[in-house]
């Protein structure tokens, strides 16, 4: 498989180069040159076997079947459920797919457990090392750290804002005892952390000297890994399904859209958001204008610009890279993305519907689910999507609706307690989290200081 940039002006690359590069040199995102067709009939008996069938065409010839099988087996052995991503029925024709049984209790583990291992494999092959630097407001940091835990060719430095993550989120990052893992508290905000990461990447000399790399959500391999659960879930039903997806950077629902392109029996998609509803406004009113981010109970969706949306735009534009580049540049400059109304309508019809819910509705939905199911607990991100599923699809005769549960309720104990009056317990493998020793350091909100620390931490 070869990959091309959504902005049409970067070298065409194979899988391994795309994996390590992340962003294309023209600022675009990599997309496969063509969509492979799902292997039918499948001979897979397990999630991992189906994962290998689904992903193999995307990674060949750079990575062979045996290697992919080995890496996927290791990645998904870290999940605490034998089905990896089990389906749970919550109502007539309403299902939840639990994507949170990975080590850090967030759906990002599905991608990052595999991507860390893919990175390490390719780096070992090439005799290279990288330092992954990232900023986190909480969830992504721990999933990225856990994804590279045993990796010999990767150091990881994660910056988080001192005192501004939840205790669970901080502990998940700081109690990891591995020589290649460094969680650093910055005396500043999440935006300060993110600005410093950007500045380190823009400092070309520093970037090259330290072999900086990123595993952010625009990395193609993350999207690829996520297509698998759409395939396995939809294949469990004997009529096409609808997925309802709590959406932030658009990576998750994009993976579903790709699964459908490959032939998975998917009817359409519903995306949900909180009050940060730029995507919902785009889908419903053709209004893609960025506004200030408002903090909510579902912080992983507190996003204004959805980075992976560019991949869908590229498809909407009939894969015209020049047109996509122009639209994205105008969006950056003006905060407003203009798409032809009929082009958008034609593309979206039968594909994507959307709804947004504020915190009050989200809490009410968590309580409603708890009551009607006799005790099933969902966290706030998931609740926006069950609410959207019910509002847009309940009893419309369209067949099963599967809501993706993107985090374990114990990751958001305060919101859950507020909704149902019960504090969810951490699962067994994290039950002693609060007794584990924290290893962290605090640095001033100053680029030169942070750069010096990155060099010191990763020196060998
Ligand atoms: C990251 C995240 C999302 C948003 O996923 P995208 O791929 O960015 O759309 C939703 N819910 C949770 C819990 C997340 O961590």
């Amino acid at each position: 498989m070869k990959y091309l940039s959504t902005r049409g002006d970067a070298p065409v690359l194979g899988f391994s180069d795309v994996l390590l590069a992340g962003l294309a040199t023209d600022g675009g995102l990599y997309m496969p040159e063509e969509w492979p067709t799902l292997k039918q009939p499948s001979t897979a008996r397990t999630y991992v076997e189906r994962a290998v069938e689904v992903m193999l065409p995307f990674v060949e010839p750079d990575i062979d079947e045996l290697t992919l099988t080995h890496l996927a087996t290791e990645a998904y052995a870290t999940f605490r459920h034998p089905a990896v991503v089990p389906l749970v029925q919550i109502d007539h024709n309403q299902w939840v797919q639990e994507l949170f049984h990975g080590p850090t209790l967030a759906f990002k583990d599905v991608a990052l457990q595999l991507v860390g291992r893919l990175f390490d494999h390719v780096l070992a092959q090439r005799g290279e090392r990288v330092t992954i630097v990232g900023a986190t407001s909480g969830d992504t940091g721990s999933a990225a750290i856990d994804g590279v835990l045993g990796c010999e060719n990767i150091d990881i430095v994660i910056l988080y804002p001192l005192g501004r993550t939840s205790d669970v989120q901080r502990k998940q990052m700081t109690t990891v005892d591995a020589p290649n893992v460094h969680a650093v508290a910055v005396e500043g905000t999440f935006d300060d952390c993110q600005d410093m990461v950007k500045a380190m990447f823009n400092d070309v000399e520093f970037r090259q000297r330290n072999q900086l790399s990123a595993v952010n959500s625009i990395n193609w391999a993350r999207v690829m890994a996520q297509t698998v659960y759409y395939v396995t879930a939809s294949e469990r039903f004997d009529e096409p399904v609808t997925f309802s997806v709590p959406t932030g950077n658009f990576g998750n629902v994009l993976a579903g859209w790709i699964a459908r392109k490959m032939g998975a029996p998917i009817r359409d998609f519903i995306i949900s958001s909180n009050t940060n509803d730029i995507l919902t406004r785009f889908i419903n009113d053709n209004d893609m204008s960025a506004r200030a981010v408002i903090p909510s109970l579902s912080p992983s969706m507190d996003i204004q610009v959805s980075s992976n949306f560019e991949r869908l735009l590229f498809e909407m534009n009939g894969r015209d890279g020049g047109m996509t580049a122009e639209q994205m540049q105008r969006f950056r400059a003006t905060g407003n993305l203009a798409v032809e109304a009929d082009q958008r309508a034609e593309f979206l019809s039968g594909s994507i519907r959307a709804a947004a819910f504020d915190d009050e509705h989200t809490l009410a939905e968590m309580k409603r689910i708890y009551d009607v199911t006799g005790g099933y607990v969902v966290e706030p991100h998931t609740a926006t999507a069950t609410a959207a599923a019910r509002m847009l699809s309940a009893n419309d005769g369209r067949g099963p609706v599967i809501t993706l549960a993107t985090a374990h309720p114990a990751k958001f104990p305060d919101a859950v307690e507020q909704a149902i009056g019960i504090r969810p317990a951490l699962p067994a493998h994290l039950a002693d989290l609060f007794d584990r020793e924290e290893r962290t350091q605090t640095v001033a909100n100053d680029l030169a200081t942070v750069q010096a620390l990155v060099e010191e931490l990763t020196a060998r």
Side-chain angles (χ1 to χ4, degrees), residues 131 133 157 159 184 186 195-210 212 443-459:
T131 296
V133 291
V157 180
L159 307 181
V184 175
V186 173
D195 287 346
M196 279 197 279
V197 170
K198 278 190 196 144
M200 284 190 264
F201 274 95
N202 287 334
D203 181 341
V204 176
E205 200 266 325
F206 180 83
R207 184 180 75 206
Q208 288 174 349
R209 191 170 67 241
N210 292 284
L212 292 197
V443 286
N445 181 11
D446 172 64
L447 181 61
T449 313
V450 172
Q451 283 182 313
L453 182 66
V454 169
E455 301 224 272
E456 183 195 316
L457 290 172
T458 61

Side-chain angles (χ1 to χ4, degrees), residues 105-108 139-140 217 222 226 245-253 279 298 300-301 303 306 308 379 381-382 405-408 411-412:
L105 312 181
F107 96 101
K108 295 190 171 63
D139 277 354
T140 314
S217 70
R222 283 181 64 172
Q226 292 172 188
V245 186
T247 298
N249 270 319
F250 207 78
N252 199 0
V253 70
L279 285 169
S298 40
S300 296
M301 304 194 301
I303 280 170
S306 298
N308 266 297
E379 56 76 46
H381 303 77
T382 307
T406 48
H408 190 288
K411 280 212 104 153
F412 299 94

Side-chain angles (χ1 to χ4, degrees), residues 236-256:
R236 293 277 301 278
F237 295 87
D238 51 19
E239 57 185 320
V241 302
T242 296
F243 280 96
S244 183
V245 186
T247 298
N249 270 319
F250 207 78
N252 199 0
V253 70
L254 180 81

Side-chain angles (χ1 to χ4, degrees), residues 3-24:
Y3 291 83
L4 30 93
S5 165
T6 51
R7 301 198 187 172
D9 198 22
V12 170
L13 301 178
F15 176 78
S16 295
D17 287 326
V18 164
L19 174 75
L20 297 188
L23 206 64

Side-chain angles (χ1 to χ4, degrees), residues 273-295:
S273 50
N274 55 38
T275 35
N276 300 291
D277 61 348
I278 184 166
L279 285 169
T280 301
R281 281 185 279 120
F282 174 73
I283 303 283
N284 292 337
D285 306 316
N286 201 13
D287 167 19
M288 174 101 68
S289 53
R291 297 180 184 164
V293 173
I294 303 162

